[in-house]
Amino acid sequence: MQNIRNIAIIAHVDHGKTTLVDKILHTCSLFRDNQETGELILDNNDLERERGITIVSKNVSVNYKGTKINIIDTPGHADFGGEVERVLKMADGVLLLVDAFEGPMPQTRFVTQKALALGLKPIVVINKVDKENCRPDEVHEKVFELFFNLEATEEQLDFPTIYGSSKQGWMSTDYTQKTEDILPLLDAVIEHIPAPPVSEGTLQMQITSLDFSKFVGRIAIGRIARGTVTENQPVTLMKKDGKLVRSRIKELYTFEGLGRIRVESVKAGDICAVVGIDGFDIGDTIADFENPEALPVMHIDEPTMNMLFTINNSPFFGKEGKFVTSRHLIERLEKEMEKNLALKVEPTASNDSYLVFGRGILHLSVLIETMRREGYELQVGQPQVIIKEIDGVKCEPIETLIVDVPAETAGKVIELATMRKGELLIMEPKGDLQHLEFEIPSRGIIGLRNSVLTATAGEAIMAHRFKSYEPWKGEISQRSAGVLVSMDKGSSTAYRIDKLQDRGIFFVDPGEEVYEGMIIGEHSRDSDLTVNITEGKQLTNFRTTSKDDATRIAPATKFSLEEAMEYIQSDEYVEVTPQSMRLRKIILRENERLVAAKKKS
């Protein structure tokens, strides 16, 4: 049997996972010398490249010294933890990347906890030792402390450590001795990561990922735990609910480099892709036809947040999108649930609206951004945390928030976090920065990033992860300012924006189309104000010797999708179309809003 190593690369966001995979692919001569590959080869969809993060895990393989190494590149952001949890099932060991300056971060703890619980063998890679102020020895101690706190076994605590720089393309067992390549890392993988365990018995393969081809349909991906799978083999698909479905494997592929090659059979221990099985879900088991035995069902952490997704019913409905009806919306959400295990969808009292549950703002915003690029029009409501009743006590999700800021702005950050029921636990120097750790309700984090970045002139580094459900912390004051709302439909004019600039900050430029009830700016006071920005200047046929002063208009404030989602309140929507993003009141007419507010009070 061919030597195989199955490894997952895990780390906090932006610690260099995908860059390291690039270097491994180049080192193992996967490309011609003159081939243009670019950087971040595995971040191959537009959203990943634009945001500089990994969203979906990827499988590749390389051959080194006669050993096939299957590599799983995983997302680093906490919102995509569901993706990490399921793909770790395919691995026997992990490469844990840690930044030589930042050390273990919240997501490092999360993914490490999952990997250690599955009994995976770790290799610690302390990356970016070329950075100024790096502290490899101190970070190594912090990683050991983290493993100890996560109750790692003695074997896991005896982890090998590799130092280096993914970007510069070198790895070494001693950070003071720079090498020419990353071969010491690959040698460590072969030496320390165990070969996949192979037990005797009939076929067992758990589906941990899926792909789609317009030619063959859905493709099941997973690692064969036991037995051998061959083309045209009859099998039993064992569903999570206990249902058995008879099926047959039509085509079989293994991972070779960046692609897949068709094979006749695959033995236990290898990762493969199976074509021909219908109706499967992630977590189902492909088993023997006559004596099927299921593997344990996967457990994925529950979502912590929900948002209302509804059809676009604004006056600009249907101008830009191809998919605009509630049928289009629910079909797309159901399709997403097939591969996104951390996502849940529930119907509401209205046939046009659905509650979508996810891991966080980024998790949901990536789904919305993907949908708008596919031609969907929709509206989304304010993100809400999921409240639970535990032993008769109302409980809410609490998160660990870590902020690294320049010392002179630490006071402002502490004030902003404590205003949102955050409790300061740790305050210590970290290089030339101040390291702050809080426990804060998930509600308090919504909209906090913008305030912190403003207060620190963009220099704060923020990270957070879910900790536990704890008793309700009380009311949290949200947005401190009201909004400017358009009272009419038409094009905004420079004349009116100029006249109203002392009333607040505008979100629209002159010449933009607006409608009644659309949010066009932020009011300088805490109340909402309805204004007219479509009225032009009254012209006369009298000549005058004095010219009008040229209008000086401040540039409009433009939100990203996540910023807009964090900005809106419970009576507002974000309208998302393929080309535009607008904020609006749910009730468009002012007199109807006033009536609704009176009834509520």
Side-chain angles (χ1 to χ4, degrees), residues 299-442:
H299 172 71
I300 299 289
D301 285 354
E302 291 291 307
T304 58
M305 187 171 282
N306 68 45
M307 285 181 76
L308 186 77
F309 279 47
T310 181
I311 60 167
N312 185 12
N313 59 3
S314 83
F316 293 165
F317 149 80
K319 283 189 174 183
E320 298 169 4
K322 288 190 292 182
F323 308 111
V324 294
T325 65
S326 56
R327 179 178 62 82
H328 288 137
L329 184 61
I330 189 60
E331 282 176 359
R332 179 63 182 82
L333 292 173
E334 285 172 349
K335 183 182 166 188
E336 187 68 24
M337 276 197 297
E338 289 179 359
K339 60 183 179 187
N340 197 334
L341 290 193
L343 197 79
K344 290 184 179 177
V345 178
E346 286 183 5
T348 64
S350 166
N351 291 333
D352 296 333
S353 305
Y354 303 93
L355 266 184
V356 180
F357 296 77
R359 283 281 180 89
I361 295 276
L362 186 64
H363 183 209
L364 293 168
S365 76
V366 164
L367 168 61
I368 296 165
E369 184 65 38
T370 306
M371 288 173 67
R372 77 184 283 191
R373 291 179 185 213
E374 291 171 2
Y376 286 84
E377 277 193 17
L378 68 151
Q379 295 179 141
V380 294
Q382 184 189 30
Q384 305 283 347
V385 298
I386 296 168
I387 308 300
K388 289 184 179 178
E389 194 167 299
I390 302 171
D391 299 328
V393 179
K394 182 183 178 184
C395 294
E396 64 175 329
I398 302 294
E399 307 210 15
T400 301
L401 170 69
I402 291 180
V403 190
D404 292 335
V405 289
E408 62 272 13
T409 54
K412 292 179 185 174
V413 174
I414 294 169
E415 184 185 350
L416 286 167
T418 49
M419 279 169 60
R420 292 165 174 259
K421 307 292 183 187
E423 185 183 337
L424 181 65
L425 303 178
I426 296 172
M427 181 176 180
E428 59 189 17
K430 180 179 176 183
D432 56 352
L433 298 174
Q434 200 73 20
H435 178 76
L436 309 172
E437 284 191 27
F438 301 88
E439 275 187 7
I440 185 169
S442 295

Side-chain angles (χ1 to χ4, degrees), residues 515-582:
Y515 54 79
E516 183 182 2
M518 181 172 152
I519 296 170
I520 52 176
E522 182 178 281
H523 194 196
S524 53
R525 298 185 181 180
D526 60 2
S527 58
D528 293 348
L529 180 67
T530 306
V531 296
N532 183 353
I533 63 161
T534 61
E535 188 181 22
K537 185 179 179 184
Q538 294 297 318
L539 300 176
T540 69
N541 58 355
F542 288 103
R543 291 189 177 182
T544 151
T545 52
S546 62
K547 292 183 179 175
D548 288 330
D549 291 329
T551 54
R552 291 187 181 89
I553 297 173
T557 299
K558 298 293 183 184
F559 288 129
S560 68
L561 180 56
E562 286 101 82
E563 288 168 344
M565 287 160 63
E566 290 185 337
Y567 186 80
I568 59 170
Q569 298 297 290
S570 56
D571 64 336
E572 296 162 3
Y573 279 153
V574 181
E575 178 190 349
V576 182
T577 69
Q579 295 166 32
S580 311
M581 187 182 71
R582 306 178 188 95

Side-chain angles (χ1 to χ4, degrees), residues 459-473:
E459 292 194 44
I461 301 165
M462 269 180 73
H464 57 90
R465 71 175 179 87
F466 172 70
K467 178 180 172 277
S468 61
Y469 270 87
E470 293 181 15
W472 179 263
K473 301 286 184 187

Side-chain angles (χ1 to χ4, degrees), residues 196-224:
V198 178
S199 53
E200 295 297 318
T202 55
L203 171 65
Q204 277 186 322
M205 169 184 159
Q206 189 161 46
I207 299 167
T208 49
S209 193
L210 62 83
D211 201 354
F212 181 81
S213 162
K214 57 186 176 184
F215 302 109
V216 296
R218 296 169 79 225
I219 301 168
I221 298 170
R223 190 179 83 177
I224 299 170

Side-chain angles (χ1 to χ4, degrees), residues 2-21:
Q2 184 187 15
N3 280 332
I4 293 176
R5 300 288 186 273
N6 297 316
I7 58 165
I9 299 187
I10 60 175
H12 185 77
V13 67
D14 206 28
H15 278 195
K17 297 180 298 300
T18 308
T19 305
L20 180 60
V21 176

Side-chain angles (χ1 to χ4, degrees), residues 64 74 146 247 259 288 344 360 365 371 380 435 551 589 598:
Y64 178 68
T74 64
L146 173 67
S247 192
D288 186 67
K344 290 184 179 177
S365 76
M371 288 173 67
V380 294
H435 178 76
T551 54
R589 293 183 182 277
K598 276 184 182 175

